[in-house]
């Protein structure tokens, strides 16, 4: 890569550090990251790293997690929350690792921007095929996510291989083909600075051209971008929305807009049945290092990987017509799993709520140990910030039915004790815990 790419590398190098500070490393587990060699067609000599939790589903879903420029597969494993979420929900994570100078992925060349080409995307799909064969991976539940260069690769993989991936979550990416170039640097400054503007139809046609013979269902897409991104400029976010709403056949006008937490604006684009096809998060004031607290669990929830159900239902945008009615569990009880990821002065808590009976509207009660205070949270409102806390559902996750679960979480500070609450109640009824 030329000096221009070094600017990107310098900024995104902060990503791993930022995520490590915010999320911490994955929690200790008997499972470990394993390098896999000879996994199949690998024209660009990518490295493959695989994380299989100690407790894994019999026919597990597969998540591909793609690192940023200057990063690596092991680095992305150590600085993101995906492995700890795999421990919790039993899916397998693949961490591709770029081996070229600068460690960016090829999202630019004609070989990368085509189905069954001869560059990085083909090698990544070989990794997926390997896990399906050797780990009994579920070919109907394959997902991809990534940040920066990995976010761009997420868009490329969804266009190149709509037959492989069911959904993707791109953090700080650009539309498929936006970075196209025959320049040996593989850098497209016009795209990076948000100067490539096309119609939704034009973007959609480009994505469809990656695999022109494909006529099947297209993967759903989740998008994330900071409004102050000075590396892959914010206009790329709007162009991504144009592209995928066109590909997925939904209107560019959101079917719902909300604010899951301060500074986040989420727009959803649903089909006629109410199933969300595109979900987009705009993060106010954020640059090319997004505040990733809660983002990983939101991506997992969008994929449906936060449920033990074999085929979780798609996210919908059917809002309640009135404030939710609180219905306490009746007979089936409730269970709460709380996974803590801690560092010196803070931690994140990933909480999963299940109920043996149908609940319409919920409040989860718990008491934080002394010295802890919630800084921010996701998928619920939290009050007060310390002591006896009540987490209350948002408009889109108020229902819990038997066999399904709701994932929420928060980031908190601590003064030496990062322990989890010892008891939880759901609508006043005690819950069992992990």
């Amino acid at each position: 890569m030329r000096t221009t790419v070094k600017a990107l590398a310098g900024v995104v190098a902060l990503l791993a550090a930022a995520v490590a500070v915010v999320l911490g490393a994955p929690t200790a587990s008997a499972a470990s990251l394993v390098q896999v060699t000879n996994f199949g067609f690998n024209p660009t000599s990518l490295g493959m790293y695989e994380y299989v939790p100690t407790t894994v589903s019999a026919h597990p879903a597969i998540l591909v997690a793609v690192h940023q420029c200057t990063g690596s597969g092991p680095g992305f494993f150590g600085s993101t929350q995906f492995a700890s979420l795999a421990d919790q929900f039993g899916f397998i994570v693949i961490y591709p690792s770029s081996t070229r100078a600068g460690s960016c992925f090829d999202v630019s060349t004609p070989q990368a921007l085509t189905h069954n080409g001869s560059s990085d995307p083909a090698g990544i799909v070989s990794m997926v095929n390997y896990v399906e064969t050797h780990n009994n991976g579920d070919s109907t539940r394959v997902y991809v996510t990534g940040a920066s260069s990995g976010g761009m690769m997420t868009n490329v993989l969804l266009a190149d291989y709509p037959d492989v991936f069911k959904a993707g979550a791109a953090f700080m990416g650009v539309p498929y083909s936006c970075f196209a170039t025959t320049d040996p640097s593989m850098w497209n400054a016009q795209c990076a600075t948000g100067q490539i503007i096309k119609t939704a139809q034009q973007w959609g046609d480009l994505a469809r051209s990656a695999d022109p013979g494909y006529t099947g269902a297209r993967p759903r897409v989740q998008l994330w971008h900071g409004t102050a991104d000075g590396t892959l400029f914010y206009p790329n976010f709007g162009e991504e929305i144009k592209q995928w709403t066109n590909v997925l056949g939904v209107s560019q006008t959101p079917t719902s807009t909300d604010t899951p937490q301060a500074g986040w604006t989420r727009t959803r684009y649903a089909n006629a049945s109410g199933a969300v096809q595109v979900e987009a998060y705009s993060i106010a004031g954020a640059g090319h290092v997004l505040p990733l607290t809660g983002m990983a669990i939101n991506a997992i929830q969008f994929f449906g990987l936060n449920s033990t159900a074999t085929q979780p239902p798609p996210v919908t945008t059917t809002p309640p017509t009135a404030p939710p009615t609180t219905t306490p569990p009746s007979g089936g009880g409730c269970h709460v799993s709380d996974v803590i990821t801690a560092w010196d002065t803070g931690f994140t808590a990933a909480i999963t709520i299940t109920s043996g009976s149908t609940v319409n509207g919920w409040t989860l009660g718990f008491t934080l140990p002394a010295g802890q205070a919630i800084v921010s949270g996701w998928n619920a409102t939290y009050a007060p910030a310390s002591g006896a806390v009540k987490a209350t559902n948002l408009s889109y996750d108020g229902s819990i039915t038997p066999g399904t679960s709701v994932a929420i979480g928060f980031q908190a500070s601590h003064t030496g004790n990062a322990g989890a609450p010892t008891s939880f109640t759901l609508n006043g009824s005690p819950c069992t815990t992990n």
Side-chain angles (χ1 to χ4, degrees), residues 72-333:
S72 68
F76 211 54
F77 163 77
S79 62
T80 59
Q81 204 177 13
F82 297 113
S84 62
L85 290 167
D87 287 333
Q88 188 174 356
F89 298 114
F91 56 87
I92 291 174
V93 190
I94 297 169
Y95 297 91
S97 199
S98 175
T99 54
R100 66 174 50 86
S103 298
C104 297
F105 287 93
D106 178 11
V107 295
S108 305
T109 69
Q111 294 77 22
L113 298 173
T114 185
H115 181 77
N116 290 341
S118 57
S119 191
D120 293 352
I124 292 173
V125 169
S126 292
M127 299 177 196
V128 172
N129 293 337
Y130 177 92
V131 173
E132 290 175 2
T133 301
H134 290 80
N135 301 92
N136 196 32
D138 188 346
S139 64
T140 68
R141 293 191 298 146
V142 180
Y143 307 89
V144 60
T145 188
S148 192
S149 180
M152 292 192 280
M153 177 55 73
T154 296
N155 281 294
V156 168
L157 287 168
L158 296 178
D160 282 359
Y161 295 96
D163 56 328
V164 172
F165 297 96
K166 186 173 182 180
F171 296 88
M172 302 171 291
V174 302
Y176 163 85
S177 194
C178 182
F179 239 66
T181 180
T182 55
D183 186 321
S185 74
M186 296 193 294
W187 179 261
N188 188 318
Q190 274 194 308
C191 177
T193 54
Q195 297 178 54
I196 298 181
I197 307 297
K198 297 182 183 293
T199 66
Q201 185 68 43
Q202 288 171 327
W203 282 125
D205 287 345
L206 282 170
R208 287 182 285 268
S209 72
D211 187 7
Y214 182 74
T215 58
R218 296 278 175 173
R220 297 183 304 120
V221 184
Q222 186 184 70
L223 304 167
W224 298 78
H225 223 102
T227 61
D229 194 324
T231 302
L232 298 175
F233 286 30
Y234 187 67
N236 283 302
F237 180 59
E239 300 305 292
E240 286 177 295
I241 293 172
K242 286 184 192 176
Q243 182 167 71
W244 293 113
T245 53
N246 181 267
V247 168
L248 289 157
V250 294
S251 171
Q252 292 178 60
T253 302
T255 49
S256 70
T257 302
D258 65 356
T259 305
Q261 68 179 63
W264 293 18
T265 299
R266 174 174 56 188
T267 50
R268 285 170 157 173
Y269 307 81
N271 62 19
S273 301
V276 174
Q277 303 300 295
V278 177
E279 184 173 71
Y281 287 79
S282 174
I283 313 301
H288 201 61
V289 182
L290 290 179
L292 294 185
T293 302
M295 291 183 178
I297 188 62
N298 274 274
I300 295 305
Q301 184 175 37
F302 180 75
F303 297 154
L305 291 177
N306 62 316
S307 170
T308 55
T310 304
Q311 289 290 346
V315 179
T316 64
T317 55
T318 306
T321 55
T325 301
T326 300
T327 305
S330 57

Side-chain angles (χ1 to χ4, degrees), residues 294-374:
M295 291 183 178
I297 188 62
N298 274 274
I300 295 305
Q301 184 175 37
F302 180 75
F303 297 154
L305 291 177
N306 62 316
S307 170
T308 55
T310 304
Q311 289 290 346
V315 179
T316 64
T317 55
T318 306
T321 55
T325 301
T326 300
T327 305
S330 57
C334 62
H335 180 81
V336 172
S337 172
D338 187 8
V339 177
I340 300 294
T341 303
W343 59 95
D344 290 348
T345 58
F347 66 92
T348 59
I351 299 172
T352 304
I353 310 167
T354 59
S355 175
S357 58
T358 299
V359 175
N360 292 311
W362 51 263
T363 296
L364 184 72
F366 54 92
T367 299
L368 292 176
Q372 294 183 5
I374 294 175

